[in-house]
């Protein structure tokens, strides 16, 4: 068989092709002739936001934007200056896109309605955690942005009805990790692709396609400081894992912890605690988008009691959920230890 690359774009091998996030989005759009480009414009707004936030994160110390603003968000958590800045960047970039009907953010108590419904015009809702793990900023640790995109229901649906859709209805989801490099991870429901920001040209370059989570990694990621207030099943799992050669890895920023699991395998847990029976993580803009990424990469995500995260019918924009996610083999081992408890809020 002649394997010599042929001339012309179709013949270009994927491993030698230079593909930016922008071209990737346009390429995906070309596969959907009915697509109007509205959706692509939204993804491009997220990419621009990521570059602006990455720049602010890198310059945080120089520009004195570390530390808190002295206010709390709806979750009762202290807002860092960069939480507010990143939120503002996303609101401004998405606000300029015709296709965005509603945005909802961790940092805003109420959703922001940007545009009224116009018949025949497809519109979307974008939900986000503008800066995840923001307490890591002061120590130069990894932080991120998480986003989830839902179709706006239209037909006079209320804001609540448009936003409160279960995770399996997401049309796209992703995150940006501002780490030792800036990484953009995206799924539009056809696998997971990974892009890295090349700062010298200001573009996200595609470096991996159709990522699949490796199995067999004996690593768990959990805040073990809470261990004594976890339901018993989680404590049993940790006892078992520690007797079976497991390592612990915990960055304290969901984006950084999930990114490691996406690339290396293992399991991430944020269980319920006595103080927070629903756990800490937010369903709509933390758990659901991460669940879509993980499942698209062949993994599993549960909220406990065997319920898949993306099947939860949300009742409030800022609701929380326990989270177990990661490689299918490692998640199964956690669930096996939880199943012994009946009726526990696992
Ligand atoms: P945020 O900074 O957006 O409020 O999110 C922090 C979250 C998440 O990133 C992380 O997994 C978790 O908080 C860590 O919580 P603990 O400090 O309780 O372990
Ligand atoms: Mn967060
Ligand atoms: Mn946040």
């Amino acid at each position: 068989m002649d394997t010599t690359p042929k001339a012309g774009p179709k013949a270009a091998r994927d491993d030698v092709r230079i593909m930016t996030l922008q071209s990737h989005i346009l390429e995906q759009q070309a596969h959907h002739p009915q697509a109007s480009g509205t959706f692509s414009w939204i993804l491009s707004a997220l990419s621009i936001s990521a570059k602006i936030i990455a720049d602010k994160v890198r310059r945080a110390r120089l520009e004195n934007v570390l530390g808190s603003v002295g206010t709390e968000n709806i979750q009762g958590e202290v807002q860092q200056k960069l939480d507010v800045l990143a939120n503002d960047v996303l609101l401004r970039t998405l606000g300029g896109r015709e296709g965005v009907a509603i945005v909802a953010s961790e940092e805003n108590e109420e959703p922001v309605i940007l545009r009224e419904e116009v018949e025949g015009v497809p519109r979307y809702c974008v939900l986000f955690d503008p800066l995840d793990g923001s307490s890591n900023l002061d120590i130069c640790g990894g932080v991120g942005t998480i986003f989830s995109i839902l179709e706006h229901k239209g037909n006079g649906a209320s804001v609540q009805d448009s936003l409160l859709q279960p995770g399996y209805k997401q049309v796209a989801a992703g995150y940006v990790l501002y780490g030792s490099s800036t990484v953009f991870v995206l799924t539009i429901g056809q696998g997971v692709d990974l892009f890295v920001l090349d700062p010298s040209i200001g573009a996200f370059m595609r470096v991996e396609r159709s990522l699949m989570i490796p199995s067999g990694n004996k690593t768990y990621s959990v805040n073990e400081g809470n261990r004594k207030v976890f339901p018993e099943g989680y404590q049993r799992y940790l006892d078992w894992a520690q007797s079976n050669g497991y390592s612990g890895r915990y960055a304290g920023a969901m984006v950084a912890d999930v990114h490691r699991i996406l690339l290396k395998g293992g399991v991430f847990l944020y269980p319920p605690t006595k103080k927070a029976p629903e756990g800490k993580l937010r369903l709509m803009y933390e758990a659901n988008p991460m669940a879509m990424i993980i499942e698209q990469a062949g993994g599993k995500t549960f909220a406990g009691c065997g319920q898949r995260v993306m099947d939860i019918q949300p009742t409030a924009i800022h609701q929380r959920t326990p989270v177990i996610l990661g490689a299918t083999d490692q998640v199964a081992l956690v669930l096996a230890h939880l199943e012994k408890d009946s009726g526990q809020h696992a």
Side-chain angles (χ1 to χ4, degrees):
M1 194 174 81
D2 177 13
T3 54
T4 321
K6 302 286 184 295
K10 280 209 169 117
R13 274 177 27 222
D14 217 49
D15 57 344
V16 295
R17 210 192 286 177
I18 292 175
M19 181 67 87
T20 63
L21 175 57
Q22 209 60 33
S23 339
H24 172 87
I25 294 168
L26 292 173
E27 186 190 61
Q28 297 299 312
Q29 189 187 316
H31 293 153
H32 299 91
Q34 74 284 12
S36 61
T38 308
F39 182 64
S40 307
W41 275 108
I42 296 173
L43 291 175
S44 96
L46 290 166
S47 146
I48 291 164
S49 302
K51 290 179 211 172
I52 299 173
I53 298 169
D55 181 58
K56 289 192 185 300
V57 165
R58 306 246 171 275
R59 301 188 56 79
R61 192 94 207 201
L62 297 170
E63 294 183 356
N64 193 26
V65 284
L66 290 177
S68 74
V69 277
T71 52
E72 288 184 349
N73 64 15
I74 175 67
Q75 339 283 338
E77 294 158 351
V78 175
Q79 285 183 304
Q80 305 290 315
K81 288 177 194 162
L82 272 170
D83 283 325
V84 177
L85 281 170
N87 193 40
D88 195 49
V89 168
L90 282 156
L91 290 175
R92 284 195 288 143
T93 54
L94 289 166
R97 297 300 198 240
E98 264 305 302
V100 186
I102 306 171
V103 291
S105 163
E106 180 190 15
E107 303 303 334
N108 295 113
E109 182 164 359
E110 298 294 338
V112 181
I113 302 157
L114 293 169
R115 283 168 195 89
E116 297 302 332
E117 184 183 341
V118 177
E119 211 176 310
V121 178
R123 292 222 161 107
Y124 296 88
C125 305
V126 185
L127 300 94
F128 50 85
D129 176 353
L131 209 53
D132 174 68
S134 53
S135 62
N136 268 3
L137 281 167
D138 293 349
I139 50 100
C140 245
V143 293
T145 295
I146 313 174
F147 60 87
S148 161
I149 305 179
L150 293 162
E151 263 174 33
H152 183 228
K153 278 192 171 169
N155 293 326
S158 68
V159 174
Q160 293 286 316
D161 280 354
S162 271
L163 286 173
L164 299 180
Q165 302 183 52
Y168 69 80
K169 296 239 167 125
Q170 293 171 108
V171 291
Y175 63 79
V176 187
L177 171 61
Y178 312 104
S180 56
S181 54
T182 301
V183 171
F184 196 114
V185 172
L186 174 68
T187 181
I188 55 172
Q190 289 155 3
V192 179
D193 300 308
L194 189 151
F195 306 80
V196 175
L197 181 63
D198 182 338
S200 60
I201 58 168
F204 281 103
M205 309 304 291
R206 191 170 74 194
V207 295
E208 293 274 358
R209 297 207 71 181
S210 305
L211 276 167
M212 294 303 281
I213 305 176
S215 58
N217 184 340
K218 294 166 81 168
T219 305
Y220 60 76
S221 185
V222 67
N223 184 343
E224 277 195 86
N226 293 331
R227 181 186 170 125
K228 287 194 171 157
V229 288
F230 288 157
E232 279 173 17
Y234 292 92
Q235 301 193 36
R236 273 199 302 272
Y237 165 74
L238 289 170
D239 284 341
W240 171 84
Q242 287 166 9
S243 310
N244 282 275
Y246 272 64
S247 289
R249 291 282 183 279
Y250 192 65
M254 189 188 199
V255 171
D257 285 317
V258 171
H259 189 61
R260 184 185 52 252
I261 281 160
L262 182 68
L263 298 184
K264 297 202 178 278
V267 66
F268 170 88
L269 310 165
Y270 207 106
T273 61
K274 285 208 176 101
K275 204 173 97 193
E278 298 307 322
K280 178 181 182 187
L281 298 174
R282 279 54 62 107
L283 174 65
M284 303 293 296
Y285 43 80
E286 290 181 320
N288 270 340
M290 289 310 199
M292 186 174 181
I293 297 267
I294 292 293
E295 289 195 13
Q296 284 288 318
K300 292 269 187 273
T301 313
F302 290 99
C305 290
Q307 190 182 19
R308 185 179 166 234
V309 164
M310 287 199 286
D311 284 339
I312 298 172
Q313 174 59 55
T315 54
I317 290 156
H318 298 288
Q319 89 182 60
R320 297 171 194 267
T321 177
V323 173
I324 303 161
L325 65 78
T328 300
D329 62 330
Q330 298 303 314
V331 169
L333 289 163
V334 177
L335 293 186
H337 288 86
L338 301 187
E339 274 160 13
K340 292 174 194 152
D341 298 327
S342 54
Q344 139 182 311
H345 54 231

